[in-house]
């Protein structure tokens, strides 16, 4: 593993040198700071002992995970702000690097005072989903190279990252902290093959559509952000329309995750945990598909420690079960002849972050995984070749301005 990453080191070094050369350009501020432009870029190398993650990484180096984003915001009036981000993301077989609008919205807050504020957002809005979803697009805002896969799946990222619709929000400021609530109603992004493949498999000629999805979040921050507590509830209602010669019928996916989040931030360390209850229903696909209901569970416990002003260490345990009543996947395996371990994943993660400058960051991360529950079928088309126990090593360089 060391020799493989060492062979890729010159490329990482060149990438870093170019970013350091460009670091005096921090951001673009116009109109007295009311108009701002920012951006970021990251490149990640991935190596796995077995299975594939973000491209062909099994016993080789994959460079098929990169992110480039450009975002802008304009404070039109004290009450109205518009913002948008264009993102190009490569992520193995789940994302091809094409440029797309990650979010684009107008934020109007007519109610604003020292006690709080309230308003509405319309457009392609970021989905409130746990603690990290609204900022997961920028590598610097994530606690690790990849977020805990038990909560924030990479293989179905577009389904939950943003939606086309509207959001009502209110924030209340007090001596005890900040209490905020939001309710959104919008159309999830189902226009890519990634979501369809994750739900019905490869080479299906049909299409996936979604009804309007509600999303509610209640968030409390106390003691100046020392602790944060949140509750998130959403519902996805996805419909599959068969194509010509399709073996599947007009099926329906219903998913209702409830997420409980807690975080404590001390001077040098942070402790974060999230727990999700996932009620799912798969129906009307016919005899050639696995129909049924499941009560999934997923959770993680994560600690970070600031070793020095520029160094941070991370340790996390992350667990995902597609069906709590069939945690070992044996009933699923008997019904489908698919590997039982594809219904769960337990991941120990250790990582290290080094902020070379405020604009340039390096990260290294190791995962020791039992199960394949969060792997993308695009990168692993032959389920019979999957291995239950596998390791994942990642090296990332990121820049922002």
């Amino acid at each position: 593993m060391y020799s493989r990453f060492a062979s890729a080191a010159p490329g990482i070094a060149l990438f870093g040198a170019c970013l350091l050369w460009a670091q005096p350009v921090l951001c673009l501020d116009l109109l007295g700071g009311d108009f701002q432009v920012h951006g970021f870029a990251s490149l990640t190398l991935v190596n796995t002992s077995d299975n594939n993650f973000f491209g062909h990484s099994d016993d080789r180096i994959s460079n098929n995970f990169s992110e480039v984003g450009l975002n802008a915001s304009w404070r039109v009036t004290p009450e109205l702000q518009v913002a948008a981000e264009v993102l190009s993301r490569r992520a193995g077989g789940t994302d091809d690097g094409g440029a797309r609008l990650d979010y684009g919205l107008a934020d109007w807050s007519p109610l604003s005072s020292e006690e709080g504020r309230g308003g509405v957002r319309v457009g392609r809005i970021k989905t409130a989903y746990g603690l990290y979803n609204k900022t997961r697009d920028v590598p610097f805002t994530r606690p690790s190279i990849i977020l805990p896969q038990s909560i924030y799946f990479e293989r179905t990222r577009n389904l939950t990252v943003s939606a086309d619709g509207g959001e009502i929000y209110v924030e209340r400021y007090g001596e005890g902290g900040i209490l905020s609530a939001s309710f959104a109603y919008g159309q999830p992004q189902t226009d890519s093959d990634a979501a369809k493949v994750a739900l019905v498999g490869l080479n299906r000629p049909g299409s996936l559509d979604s009804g309007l999805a509600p999303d509610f979040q209640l968030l409390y921050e106390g003691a100046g952000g020392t602790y944060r507590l949140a509750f998130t509830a959403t519902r996805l209602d996805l419909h599959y329309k068969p194509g010509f010669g399709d073996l599947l019928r007009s099926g329906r996916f219903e998913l209702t995750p409830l997420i409980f989040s807690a975080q404590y931030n001390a001077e040098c360390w942070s402790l974060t945990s999230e727990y999700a209850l996932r009620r799912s229903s798969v129906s009307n696909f016919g005899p050639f598909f696995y129909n049924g209901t499941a009560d999934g569970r997923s959770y993680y416990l994560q600690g970070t420690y600031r070793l020095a002003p520029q160094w941070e260490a991370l340790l996390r345990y992350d667990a995902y079960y597609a069906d709590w009543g069939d945690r070992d996947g044996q009933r699923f395996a008997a019904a489908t002849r698919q590997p039982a371990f594809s219904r769960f994943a337990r991941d120990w993660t250790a990582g290290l972050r080094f902020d070379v400058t405020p604009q340039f960051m390096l990260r290294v991360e190791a995962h020791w995984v039992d199960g394949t529950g969060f792997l993308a079928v695009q990168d692993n088309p032959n389920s019979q070749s999957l291995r239950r126990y596998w390791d994942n090593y990642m090296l990332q360089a990121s820049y922002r301005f």
Side-chain angles (χ1 to χ4, degrees):
M1 181 196 70
Y2 174 81
S3 64
R4 295 192 187 99
F5 278 117
S7 65
I12 287 285
L14 179 60
F15 180 66
C18 293
L19 298 183
L20 288 171
W21 175 79
Q23 74 171 11
V25 183
L26 301 181
C27 65
L28 177 62
D29 292 333
L30 299 174
L31 302 176
D34 289 335
F35 183 81
Q36 296 188 1
V37 177
H38 297 269
F40 58 89
S42 73
L43 174 65
T44 304
L45 303 179
V46 182
N47 170 251
T48 53
S49 62
D50 293 286
N51 309 322
N52 289 311
F53 191 75
F54 290 146
H56 297 290
S57 62
D58 184 4
D59 286 331
R60 69 185 76 177
I61 296 291
S62 169
N63 63 355
N64 286 327
F65 182 34
S66 63
E67 301 162 294
V68 179
L70 184 67
N71 57 68
S73 63
W74 179 23
R75 176 67 65 178
V76 183
T77 70
E79 296 81 22
L80 178 62
Q81 182 179 26
V82 294
E85 178 176 277
V86 176
L87 178 69
S88 170
R89 184 174 184 270
R90 289 189 309 143
T94 62
D95 225 326
D96 61 5
R100 65 170 178 269
L101 184 69
D102 209 40
Y103 66 86
L105 57 91
D107 185 342
W108 181 50
S109 54
L111 306 176
S112 182
S113 68
E114 293 182 356
E115 289 77 29
R117 72 183 188 118
V120 297
R121 300 183 181 101
V122 294
R124 177 161 289 183
I125 56 176
K126 300 299 288 291
T127 303
Y129 188 86
L131 294 176
Y132 296 113
N133 197 63
K134 281 199 169 185
T135 59
R136 67 184 294 178
D137 50 314
V138 182
F140 285 80
T141 65
R142 300 194 293 257
S144 50
I145 295 177
I146 56 172
L147 289 172
Q149 293 301 287
S150 64
I151 307 291
Y152 308 94
F153 293 107
E154 293 291 343
R155 62 181 183 179
T156 55
R157 174 189 181 275
N158 291 350
L159 276 178
T160 56
V161 71
S162 59
D164 298 330
E167 179 184 40
I168 302 173
Y169 65 90
V170 61
E171 298 175 356
R172 179 69 176 177
Y173 313 140
E175 294 183 359
I178 301 174
L179 180 64
S180 61
S182 65
F183 177 77
Y185 201 54
Q187 177 82 35
Q189 300 179 48
T190 58
D191 54 353
S192 68
D193 283 339
K196 184 183 75 170
V197 170
L199 296 175
V200 299
L202 289 168
N203 304 318
R204 299 295 189 185
S207 60
L208 192 68
D209 197 7
S210 172
L212 294 176
D215 177 72
F216 171 77
Q217 185 175 79
L218 187 66
L219 175 66
Y220 176 72
E221 296 188 20
T226 300
Y227 52 88
R228 305 170 71 203
L229 302 172
F231 169 72
T232 308
T234 188
R235 182 175 182 271
L236 293 175
D237 189 3
L238 306 171
H239 301 267
Y240 179 75
K241 298 179 181 179
F244 179 76
D246 207 328
L247 293 177
L248 301 184
R249 298 175 184 172
S250 298
R252 183 179 184 183
F253 288 93
E254 295 175 274
L255 179 64
T256 309
L258 305 176
I259 304 174
F260 302 86
S261 310
Q263 184 178 74
Y264 181 83
N265 298 300
E267 181 179 357
C268 294
W269 57 274
S270 296
L271 190 64
T272 307
S273 182
E274 296 189 90
Y275 188 93
L277 307 173
R278 301 176 182 275
R279 175 70 175 180
S280 63
S281 173
V282 182
S283 59
N284 302 325
F285 278 89
F288 299 101
F289 201 74
Y290 185 70
N291 298 278
T293 60
D295 287 307
R297 299 286 190 274
S298 56
Y299 58 89
Y300 72 88
L301 179 63
Q302 169 186 284
T304 60
Y305 187 81
R306 285 162 284 284
L307 304 169
Q310 294 174 279
W311 292 88
E312 183 178 87
L314 172 138
L315 182 64
R316 181 171 67 219
Y317 178 71
D318 189 20
Y320 161 76
Y321 299 94
D323 187 352
W324 191 249
D326 183 29
R327 289 192 291 276
D328 58 5
Q330 293 299 324
R331 291 208 307 263
F332 172 82
T336 64
R337 297 185 181 179
Q338 298 296 312
F341 53 78
S342 65
R343 298 289 279 178
F344 64 84
R346 296 181 283 262
D347 178 4
W348 278 100
T349 303
L352 190 64
R353 168 176 173 166
F354 175 42
D355 292 321
V356 184
T357 72
Q359 290 77 43
F360 182 44
M361 175 185 69
L362 292 174
R363 266 189 169 133
V364 62
E365 197 165 290
H367 299 256
W368 299 275
V369 191
D370 173 13
T372 62
F374 57 71
L375 288 181
V377 66
Q378 295 93 324
D379 296 327
N380 302 273
N382 182 7
S383 62
Q384 300 304 319
S385 67
L386 292 172
R387 296 293 179 266
R388 173 174 173 173
Y389 298 98
W390 56 288
D391 305 329
N392 182 7
Y393 305 97
M394 311 177 79
L395 177 64
Q396 183 181 75
S398 302
Y399 174 74
R400 62 181 172 183
F401 68 87

